[in-house]
Amino acid sequence: GAMNSASYQPGLAPGSLFTIFGNLSGETASTPWPTAWDGISVSFNGALAPIGYVSPTQINAQVPFEVAAGTVQLTVTSNGVVSAPVNVTIQPTAPGIFTDSSGHAAALNQDYTPNEPGNPAPVGSYISVYLTGQGAVAQPVSTGNPAPTATIVNTVAQTTATLDGAPATVSFSGLAPGFVGLTQVNLLIPDLPAGDHHLVITIGAWQSNSAVISTSKQ
């Protein structure tokens, strides 16, 4: 089946990035992402998904924004051979935070340096966290195309965040400029002790996976 490219959990949303593991071949795509590549295509109820990466064992692609929430059938076509359909649940939102192998969030501090244990974000500063699965956006972006760099594209559903359960003010939730299917959430680090804290982002009614953010006292 297909899983969220960030959290590797089931449950996808329109516009989100997803991953399929299998026996394939190919390489990374340039934008806009193609809907067919070296004889490989992926579809949801017949709607073709733009493909961003294909390797001998993996496909990364984007759920078309046009796919409605509900149960849909996913099929993969490889050189004319169509797979058996697999039922996939499409949710209005399905946030998944990208993490490294240690579970640390893909995030930038306010000075645009990576957030990590050796480079924590000071309390009272902002960080940008990267995820996928925001669902509908307020300004239309064509499936498979990068978000514009000159226009802000906001998430429609309400976005909230907590660090170790403490609310963190969200100043922005929307598409990351210049990227396909990537969501950026900017949030304010609340008054917490220095160290590592578990971040959870909620978009609409669905929570993300937990990811680590490092903070410091100013």
Side-chain angles (χ1 to χ4, degrees):
M3 60 190 71
N4 186 294
S5 290
S7 65
Y8 293 128
Q9 298 298 312
L12 306 177
S16 69
L17 302 178
F18 69 94
T19 296
I20 297 171
F21 293 104
N23 295 315
L24 310 154
S25 62
E27 55 187 13
T28 302
S30 57
T31 56
W33 289 359
T35 54
W37 192 351
D38 289 341
I40 296 170
S41 63
V42 182
S43 67
F44 293 87
N45 284 356
L48 291 171
I51 298 172
Y53 172 78
V54 179
S55 78
T57 58
Q58 181 176 335
I59 298 174
N60 291 347
Q62 183 186 27
V63 179
F65 279 107
E66 299 76 18
V67 175
T71 301
V72 300
Q73 289 193 329
L74 178 148
T75 58
V76 177
T77 300
S78 179
N79 296 312
V81 178
V82 183
S83 70
V86 175
N87 287 335
V88 174
T89 299
I90 303 297
Q91 302 169 180
T93 67
I97 302 172
F98 286 96
T99 61
D100 63 17
S101 59
S102 68
H104 205 284
L108 297 179
N109 293 337
Q110 190 166 308
D111 62 1
Y112 302 107
T113 60
N115 180 271
E116 51 194 17
N119 189 41
V123 166
S125 68
Y126 285 88
I127 61 170
S128 298
V129 183
Y130 295 92
L131 55 149
T132 193
Q134 81 295 316
V137 291
Q139 297 78 20
V141 174
S142 298
T143 299
N145 282 268
T149 57
T151 304
I152 294 175
V153 180
N154 295 287
T155 300
V156 170
Q158 181 183 18
T159 302
T160 59
T162 60
L163 280 163
D164 287 349
T169 300
V170 173
S171 61
F172 170 73
S173 175
L175 299 185
F179 293 90
V180 177
L182 187 64
T183 308
Q184 177 179 329
V185 172
N186 297 345
L187 58 91
L188 181 68
I189 300 294
D191 189 9
L192 294 169
D196 290 344
H197 306 280
H198 289 90
L199 170 68
V200 174
I201 293 175
T202 301
I203 303 181
W206 282 268
Q207 289 187 341
S208 73
N209 53 312
S210 176
V212 174
I213 293 292
S214 299
T215 69
S216 65
K217 287 289 193 179
Q218 289 180 318

